[in-house]
Amino acid sequence: MNSIAQVRGAFHIQNVNAYDSRLKGWMKRFHGVSTKYLKHYLGWRRLLEHYRTGLTTLLCLLEALGRLPQRLTQT
């Protein structure tokens, strides 16, 4: 059995629900998002969750260029 949970670690259901709630609350301001652009909004939100108050223009640029390692967001 080779599942994502085994490879990356299991996600607790309350953490998933909490992230879903924060994401939905944040996305309300955009009055709906086309599925065509959803991955961009999810990436933007992931940056905000990961860096919190430490997000800078330079970090955004480096992340967009793929110069920093990708990580899962811990909730």
Side-chain angles (χ1 to χ4, degrees):
M1 185 170 155
N2 188 7
S3 68
I4 293 174
Q6 287 178 330
V7 175
R8 296 184 181 165
F11 293 100
H12 198 276
I13 190 67
Q14 277 123 351
N15 290 347
V16 173
N17 289 339
Y19 179 79
D20 181 59
S21 177
R22 288 191 312 271
L23 178 64
K24 285 180 181 177
W26 178 74
M27 290 186 74
K28 279 184 183 179
R29 71 182 77 189
F30 304 113
H31 304 287
V33 174
S34 167
T35 54
K36 178 180 178 181
Y37 300 111
L38 183 59
K39 65 181 177 179
H40 301 294
Y41 283 88
L42 292 174
W44 181 14
R45 182 62 190 177
R46 196 166 72 193
L47 275 175
L48 293 173
E49 290 261 329
H50 178 75
Y51 290 107
R52 297 197 173 117
T53 58
L55 187 61
T56 65
T57 307
L58 178 60
L59 282 172
C60 286
L61 181 60
L62 291 173
E63 287 278 1
L65 294 173
R67 303 295 174 127
L68 296 175
Q70 298 280 322
R71 329 181 235 313
L72 290 174
T73 301
Q74 299 291 323
T75 57

